[in-house]
């Protein structure tokens, strides 16, 4: 009897333990409020439409330190942008200022956390976020030697954000210029893309051509044919003498351009639509969606001209299914007056007509 009881007890303990060990671990408390990234390919044209109308959060995280160029990103800015009906935020980031300058080019943890915060706040406001790699002087000066630096940055960035929702897009490099030739850029972008795809198979990746993302250079872009998760981008600041009048970084002549107006004559309009139509031709030929990542006129231009130009460029893009992000939210081109805490109405209306 005693033996029988012992056997029963052993059996019970065994059954209990073995049952327990095959039970799944309790579900971890999920604090992440976003959907996981897609496990199937996405339609790049549809994803491009989600960008629709948005802002560059310029002069903030692409300054050597946030705040050095006057703007620190406040959470409320993201709400303000979303409340006004905008649907996207391009976040220019100068990663090379926040990592080791030698292999393995480790990115500073605190800086990552700051970028995370802004990205998450933007996503919470239902903004598509375009995270880029902005001023990378070392790369533009020597793209062959420093190409590996870009690859290593993207290895870390893509690993870090791999579980973020589809509404986070990556942009490999802002405005390749300097020593970049189309050949060097095409080789490097393919390598970086391969790196990104290891961890982010279906994330949208934005890529623009050399010569500062000039639309004229779109035909020099060679994008991996079988990768359809790509959105092509270009920037538009024509006529430069108008949009960059008095801008300190635009060369010695920039002060001579002060007073240049944009009245919207037929010839002025055609100068813009001609460029866009050519870009669209390329887009149709290559079956790649188009995104105007930057356009804007500096605050030194007169308000009426700025209104007319901004409205015309934005509408011309929209008519052609080109999504856009205005350069930029709250600094020298700013549509938002941070001191007063209000929109500059004429720019807001140009961007988001009632
Ligand atoms: C640059 C900014 C500049 C803007 C207009 C951007 O790509 O990063 O520094 O203000 O273009 O020139």
């Amino acid at each position: 009897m005693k033996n029988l009881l012992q056997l029963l007890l052993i059996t019970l303990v065994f059954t209990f333990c073995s049952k327990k060990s095959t039970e799944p671990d309790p579900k971890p408390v999920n604090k992440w409020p976003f959907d996981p990234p897609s496990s199937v390919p996405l339609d790049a044209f549809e994803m491009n439409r989600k960008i629709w109308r948005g802002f560059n959060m310029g002069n903030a995280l692409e300054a050597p330190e946030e705040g050095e160029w006057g703007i620190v990103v406040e959470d409320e800015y993201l709400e303000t942008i979303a409340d006004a009906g905008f649907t996207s935020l391009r976040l220019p980031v100068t990663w090379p200022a926040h990592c080791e300058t030698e292999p393995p080019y480790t990115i500073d943890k605190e800086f990552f956390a700051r970028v995370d915060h802004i990205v998450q706040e933007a996503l919470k406001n239902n903004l598509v976020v375009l995270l880029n790699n902005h001023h990378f002087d070392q790369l533009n000066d020597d793209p062959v030697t420093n190409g590996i630096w870009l690859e290593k940055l993207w290895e870390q960035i893509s690993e870090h954000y791999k579980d973020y929702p589809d509404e986070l897009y990556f942009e490999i490099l802002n405005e390749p210029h300097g020593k970049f030739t189309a050949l060097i850029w095409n080789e490097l972008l393919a390598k970086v893309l391969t790196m990104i795809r290891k961890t982010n198979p279906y994330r949208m990746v934005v890529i623009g051509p050399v010569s500062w993302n000039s639309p004229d250079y779109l035909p020099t872009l060679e994008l991996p044919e079988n990768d359809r998760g790509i959105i092509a981008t270009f920037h538009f600041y024509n006529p430069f003498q108008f949009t960059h009048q008095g801008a300190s970084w635009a060369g010695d002549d920039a002060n001579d351009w002060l007073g240049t107006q944009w009245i919207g004559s037929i010839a002025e309009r055609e100068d813009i639509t001609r460029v866009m139509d050519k870009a669209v031709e390329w887009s149709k030929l290559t079956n790649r969606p188009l995104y105007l990542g930057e356009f804007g006129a500096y605050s030194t231009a007169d308000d009426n001209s700025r209104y007319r130009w901004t409205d015309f460029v934005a509408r011309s893009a929209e008519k052609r299914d080109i999504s856009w992000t205005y350069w930029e939210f709250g600094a020298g081109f700013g549509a938002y007056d941070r001191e007063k805490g209000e929109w500059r109405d004429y720019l807001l209306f140009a961007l988001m007509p009632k």
Side-chain angles (χ1 to χ4, degrees):
M1 183 64 188
K2 200 174 160 212
N3 278 352
L4 201 67
L5 271 175
Q6 260 177 351
L7 191 68
L8 197 68
L9 196 67
I10 287 169
T11 315
L12 270 174
V13 167
F14 183 78
T15 316
F16 181 68
C17 287
S18 59
K19 180 149 187 278
K20 205 162 176 232
S21 67
T22 56
E23 262 176 14
D25 288 337
K27 219 172 168 232
V29 183
N30 187 7
K31 288 200 183 134
W32 187 247
F34 307 114
D35 292 335
S38 177
S39 54
V40 291
L42 299 161
D43 178 357
F45 284 87
E46 206 176 293
M47 297 303 276
N48 186 41
R49 254 170 251 131
K50 287 192 178 192
I51 301 173
W52 192 45
R53 295 172 170 171
F55 275 101
N56 278 275
M57 188 52 77
N59 285 28
L61 292 192
E62 88 275 22
E65 288 297 334
E66 186 182 2
E68 259 181 48
W69 292 354
I71 173 162
V72 171
V73 184
E74 304 291 346
D75 293 354
E76 65 187 50
Y77 295 163
L78 307 167
E79 219 178 303
T80 302
I81 290 172
D83 284 351
F86 295 94
T87 46
S88 55
L89 182 89
R90 182 171 182 254
L91 189 60
V93 179
T94 298
W95 296 97
H98 302 279
C99 66
E100 291 167 354
T101 51
E102 284 173 9
Y105 305 107
T106 307
I107 296 171
D108 180 62
K109 278 203 174 70
E110 273 177 38
F111 185 69
F112 246 142
R114 176 64 184 141
V115 178
D116 294 350
H117 177 78
I118 299 172
V119 170
Q120 289 175 21
E121 285 301 311
L123 291 171
K124 272 188 212 165
N125 281 289
N126 293 318
L127 297 170
V128 163
V129 182
L130 300 123
L131 184 61
N132 85 354
N133 210 312
H134 212 76
H135 298 297
F136 198 162
D137 298 340
Q138 302 92 327
L139 185 62
N140 288 303
D141 291 347
D142 190 351
V144 174
T145 311
N146 288 326
I148 185 74
W149 190 346
L150 186 73
E151 279 182 63
K152 290 288 168 194
L153 285 177
W154 277 112
E155 184 177 23
Q156 297 169 72
I157 300 165
S158 47
E159 168 66 32
H160 188 90
Y161 291 110
K162 66 174 194 264
D163 297 325
Y164 273 59
D166 297 333
E167 286 69 30
L168 173 66
Y169 302 7
F170 293 157
E171 181 177 338
I172 293 182
L173 182 67
N174 178 61
E175 300 185 343
H177 61 274
K179 295 269 163 58
F180 264 113
T181 60
L183 189 73
I184 298 174
W185 177 224
N186 288 332
E187 277 177 12
L188 183 58
L189 74 84
K191 282 188 198 160
V192 175
L193 195 61
T194 306
M195 173 69 76
I196 291 175
R197 290 296 178 227
K198 282 187 193 163
T199 46
N200 293 255
Y202 304 121
R203 189 167 302 285
M204 284 298 121
V205 176
V206 172
I207 305 177
V210 287
S211 198
W212 308 85
N213 290 158
S214 159
D216 297 338
Y217 282 75
L218 281 169
T220 69
L221 258 188
E222 265 172 38
L223 302 172
E225 199 43 48
N226 54 357
D227 192 325
R228 305 318 293 179
I230 296 173
I231 295 173
T233 189
F234 67 97
H235 293 176
F236 191 82
Y237 289 104
N238 293 354
F240 199 68
Q241 282 85 342
F242 165 65
T243 62
H244 280 70
Q245 53 188 290
S248 56
W249 65 99
D252 296 339
D253 297 338
N255 279 338
D256 300 341
W257 308 333
L258 283 166
T260 308
Q261 297 185 334
W262 196 85
I263 57 169
S265 67
I266 292 177
E268 281 176 327
R269 285 165 180 245
E270 277 177 2
D271 283 346
I272 292 175
T273 51
R274 198 180 317 117
V275 176
M276 291 214 188
D277 286 338
K278 250 182 92 183
V280 170
E281 250 175 58
W282 175 85
S283 151
K284 286 193 177 141
L285 210 68
T286 54
N287 198 25
R288 303 284 185 185
L290 274 182
Y291 156 56
L292 172 55
E294 288 186 16
F295 70 105
Y298 198 40
S299 52
T300 39
D302 70 279
D303 295 354
N304 285 329
S305 295
R306 284 178 89 198
Y307 167 77
R308 285 189 290 260
W309 183 87
T310 307
D311 175 58
F312 187 72
V313 175
R315 299 298 85 71
S316 303
E318 288 164 6
K319 266 187 214 156
R320 290 165 178 78
D321 276 337
I322 302 173
S323 60
W324 53 257
T325 45
Y326 176 75
W327 184 272
E328 33 60 32
F329 173 71
F333 292 67
Y336 187 78
D337 185 333
R338 283 180 297 117
E339 270 170 32
K340 291 192 184 149
E342 59 187 36
W343 289 104
R344 295 193 168 93
D345 279 346
Y346 66 100
L347 283 176
L348 180 64
F349 293 154
L351 295 167
M352 184 68 75
K354 291 247 151 106

